[in-house]
Amino acid sequence: MHAYIQPACPWLSEHIKTYIQRHVPETEFIDDFDDFPTDCSTIFQFCDGWALNRNFAVMNYAKKALINAYPNSDALARKDYLARVVEFWTAKRPNSILRGHVPLTVRLSLDYAEYVDEALTAADDLSLLYSLEENEDKPGQEREWWIMKPALVDCGAGIRLFSTMEELASHLELAEYETDEDDEGEMSEEGQEPIAQSASDLEQSNPVGFSPSLSTPGLDSLDALVTAIGAISTKSTSDGVQRNPKPQYVFKENGRIPSAQMREFVAQRYIVSIPPVENRKWHVRAYVLSMGRLTVYVFKEMLALLAGEDYEPPWMNPSLKSSLTNTALQDEDVFTEKESMRDFWAMSDDLLPGNWKAHVFDQVCSVSAELFRAAAHTMADKFTTVEKCFELFAVDFLIDTNGIAWLLEVNETPAFYDVGIAGPMALRLMDSVVCVAMEHMGKARLDDERNVAAKTRLISVLDETDKLAKSNITEILPESCSR
């Protein structure tokens, strides 16, 4: 077996190679992709999910092959597509678990503050419009609050809270600052124009051997553990399939966002009643592995990610660092000193009644299984599952005071850091992922107790392989290729 191991986090490379050799000792590792033989019969690749380039092409001629990325997983990773998946799936399945574990979400196409009323009226769901109108005459603590999220931006950027139409408009850029075409691409005085970088510029800006830290991520838009939403697409390049680098925007905390450039948003009903940990808001991060056509596993170990400041309800006008649990909003020293990343299973048993942690994990497993099934059946063109591919996702849940796990978002291409409990957990996760991947390829050595232990850390929650429509995808090619 030939293997190409170049993950987004370089510190994991040697560990992944060690785990592979426990199953296939004679594995030949390729360090330079240009040296890849053209007559390989078995290939395994674990590479940077944002720079696939020629990696998919190598898979086409191998009898057995596996790579750690699907051609397209936008149905899960894009917030607006995810909302559509849930909407379509639950429309015909009113008893689906997704209906009670996904906050009401409204897809919005926004541009300028002056036109926010037209955007709300044009939305597919008028629930948001009616809610904002009803909130006008209510005091803050009696209102229904909402959280606005850009569909294609991660790390907490551009997220705002609001309860009235006026508050929503105050977060959007004003039409009076619209620039002429001649000024397009230049940074305005308000810092609201996108900063465009080409793929080659991004590659050149990342020197060989660069090791990310919490304050200096190795990939664009990483938080302390995982990259979030990113567009996956096949585009014509000389090297083959590649994920597009995302545009970057300049945001100001509590200021107006470059909404006219971003356009696509979701507004989600904000969950106010949460059980704080040391007076701080928190959410659960679970790791979900999708293998082949669609076999889904949930990693037993989960993280609790805490906000940087004490929690206050939205009507108290708190800072984003109080309301958002994304660790990218925290300075490295604050993140480390306050232990913003914790072991979920080590949290206090008294935080909620009963055996609440086991109950939360059961919900995570059930919701994840239903969500991946829904994405594969309702939006197969945006969740393209192929037998020679697998992908690891980080799925975020918010726990309310009733112990209900609410799905927030799905993050693709996890990036791990050797910080605190995250490092050892990442190694155990990689060990388990490699074991299941080798089993999928028929290469697993389950006579080794270490491999058996690694496999048991991943809980199988769904096998939809035989229920999906037969796929006729045999090769993954750039759009410019034709037959």
Side-chain angles (χ1 to χ4, degrees):
M1 184 175 78
H2 291 78
Y4 180 71
I5 310 300
Q6 295 290 338
C9 301
W11 72 275
L12 287 172
S13 296
E14 294 304 317
H15 296 286
I16 293 175
K17 291 179 181 179
T18 299
Y19 301 145
I20 293 173
Q21 287 179 318
R22 286 217 309 256
H23 298 273
V24 188
E26 68 277 9
T27 299
E28 182 177 343
F29 294 100
I30 307 297
D31 295 325
D32 188 341
F33 198 87
D34 291 331
D35 296 334
F36 226 119
T38 58
D39 58 349
C40 301
S41 61
T42 305
I43 296 174
F44 178 77
Q45 295 187 79
F46 200 111
C47 49
D48 181 351
W50 297 108
L52 299 177
N53 296 324
R54 298 165 292 175
N55 301 86
F56 275 122
V58 173
M59 314 293 286
N60 293 329
Y61 57 73
K63 292 182 179 179
K64 287 185 178 181
L66 200 60
I67 187 172
N68 65 316
Y70 287 117
N72 195 328
S73 55
D74 283 356
L76 296 169
R78 278 189 54 157
K79 298 179 182 70
D80 51 345
Y81 287 173
L82 178 62
R84 187 172 298 177
V85 165
V86 174
E87 177 187 343
F88 290 171
W89 186 255
T90 57
K92 293 186 177 181
R93 300 166 183 82
N95 296 323
S96 169
I97 191 173
L98 296 181
R99 183 174 290 276
H101 290 269
V102 179
L104 176 61
T105 305
V106 178
R107 301 188 306 276
L108 294 172
S109 180
L110 301 173
D111 45 25
Y112 298 105
E114 291 86 344
Y115 312 125
V116 67
D117 52 345
E118 287 91 338
L120 292 172
T121 304
D124 293 337
D125 189 336
L126 297 179
S127 299
L128 175 59
L129 175 62
Y130 296 152
S131 174
L132 299 183
E133 290 177 343
E134 292 175 1
N135 284 340
E136 291 288 349
D137 299 325
K138 296 180 180 179
Q141 62 269 28
E142 296 180 8
R143 293 177 180 175
E144 183 176 57
W145 284 82
W146 296 80
I147 182 168
M148 177 179 66
K149 303 177 182 179
L152 287 171
V153 180
D154 51 10
C155 288
I159 293 181
R160 299 291 187 268
L161 302 180
F162 65 98
S163 62
T164 65
M165 194 179 303
E166 181 180 356
E167 290 173 355
L168 174 58
S170 70
H171 297 316
L172 308 180
E173 65 179 307
L174 300 171
E176 64 183 274
Y177 294 127
E178 185 176 5
T179 58
D180 297 330
E181 292 183 1
D182 294 339
D183 298 327
E184 186 175 354
E186 296 181 2
M187 180 64 67
S188 70
E189 293 181 0
E190 298 298 323
Q192 294 176 340
E193 289 292 325
I195 302 174
Q197 287 182 285
S198 66
S200 60
D201 291 337
L202 290 173
E203 291 176 359
Q204 293 174 4
S205 65
N206 187 15
V208 176
F210 174 68
S211 180
S213 67
L214 286 176
S215 58
T216 312
L219 293 177
D220 177 43
S221 298
L222 287 181
D223 65 9
L225 270 184
V226 60
T227 58
I229 308 306
I232 307 176
S233 65
T234 56
K235 69 173 185 177
S236 176
T237 67
S238 58
D239 290 333
V241 180
Q242 179 174 330
R243 299 191 186 201
N244 290 323
K246 294 177 291 182
Q248 301 178 47
Y249 301 93
V250 175
F251 298 90
K252 294 182 179 180
E253 184 177 3
N254 297 326
R256 296 183 183 272
I257 62 177
S259 49
Q261 285 81 43
M262 302 168 69
R263 293 283 178 171
E264 301 303 323
F265 295 82
V266 296
Q268 202 168 63
R269 184 176 286 158
Y270 187 69
I271 299 172
V272 176
S273 182
I274 55 102
V277 174
E278 298 175 3
N279 295 322
R280 296 156 67 190
K281 187 177 179 180
W282 60 283
H283 79 266
V284 172
R285 175 156 289 172
Y287 292 98
V288 180
L289 174 67
S290 179
M291 183 67 62
R293 283 284 279 150
L294 195 59
T295 305
V296 179
Y297 304 83
V298 175
F299 191 54
K300 281 184 178 180
E301 301 181 47
M302 301 193 299
L303 289 169
L305 301 183
L306 280 65
E309 297 179 358
D310 289 354
Y311 176 69
E312 291 182 318
W315 54 86
M316 300 295 292
N317 195 28
S319 71
L320 289 177
K321 293 182 180 180
S322 167
S323 303
L324 303 183
T325 51
N326 194 300
T327 51
L329 298 174
Q330 303 177 36
D331 295 331
E332 182 174 351
D333 55 346
V334 175
F335 177 90
T336 304
E337 291 174 5
K338 290 191 172 183
E339 297 181 341
S340 297
M341 185 187 305
R342 304 186 184 185
D343 181 356
F344 168 78
W345 294 102
M347 298 182 71
S348 172
D349 294 335
D350 300 328
L351 185 64
L352 289 169
N355 191 8
W356 69 272
K357 285 180 282 189
H359 180 53
V360 166
F361 183 72
D362 290 342
Q363 294 176 73
V364 167
C365 291
S366 299
V367 172
S368 298
E370 184 81 344
L371 179 65
F372 278 69
R373 179 190 289 117
H377 284 285
T378 63
M379 205 175 284
D381 60 323
K382 297 294 188 296
F383 185 37
T384 311
T385 58
V386 181
E387 191 64 18
K388 290 184 176 182
C389 300
F390 72 98
E391 192 155 352
L392 180 65
F393 299 88
V395 186
D396 290 342
F397 293 86
L398 184 68
I399 314 303
D400 68 13
T401 51
N402 294 318
I404 298 177
W406 294 94
L407 174 68
L408 298 181
E409 62 185 24
V410 178
N411 308 302
E412 63 187 357
T413 313
F416 302 91
Y417 293 82
D418 193 6
V419 176
I421 67 167
M425 182 181 293
L427 294 181
R428 292 190 293 271
L429 174 59
M430 291 301 108
D431 191 4
S432 299
V433 169
V434 167
C435 183
V436 173
M438 292 299 104
E439 185 179 39
H440 183 76
M441 299 179 71
K443 298 286 186 179
R445 291 187 57 180
L446 297 179
D447 55 343
D448 188 323
E449 293 183 359
R450 294 172 298 176
N451 296 336
V452 174
K455 181 182 177 181
T456 58
R457 287 194 290 266
L458 280 170
I459 307 300
S460 177
V461 297
L462 175 69
D463 187 352
E464 200 76 358
T465 303
D466 296 334
K467 298 179 182 179
L468 293 175
K470 184 176 293 186
S471 173
N472 60 357
I473 299 176
T474 58
E475 293 184 341
I476 304 172
L477 301 171
E479 292 179 350
S480 60
C481 295
S482 59
R483 298 227 175 221

